[in-house]
Amino acid sequence: MAYQVLGRWMPAPAVHCRYLGGWVATKHRRWPAVDQAERKPLLRYAADCPNATPAFERAS
């Protein structure tokens, strides 16, 4: 998954949670901090995904 700035583009609502999980995993592997511009849309979209638990492996 290519890194996108969260909130500038989102896929269809039916796959928001899956996309968000991939976005978080990619972001955490490469840039382990969320900036203020990402935080607001992240919390807004994540509110619709109460059971999502992203899985990731750290980049080496």
Side-chain angles (χ1 to χ4, degrees):
M1 169 180 283
Y3 176 75
Q4 300 270 344
V5 176
L6 189 62
R8 285 193 189 162
W9 178 85
M10 285 295 286
V15 294
H16 276 178
C17 294
R18 181 177 177 187
Y19 175 80
L20 197 59
W23 185 92
V24 169
T26 299
K27 174 75 174 175
H28 191 71
R29 272 195 306 269
R30 298 171 193 256
W31 306 278
V34 172
D35 64 33
Q36 288 299 332
E38 297 165 328
R39 186 176 187 275
K40 192 172 185 177
L42 176 60
L43 293 175
R44 183 177 67 234
Y45 289 116
D48 294 331
C49 307
N51 298 319
T53 305
F56 65 92
E57 294 179 17
R58 291 197 183 272
S60 42

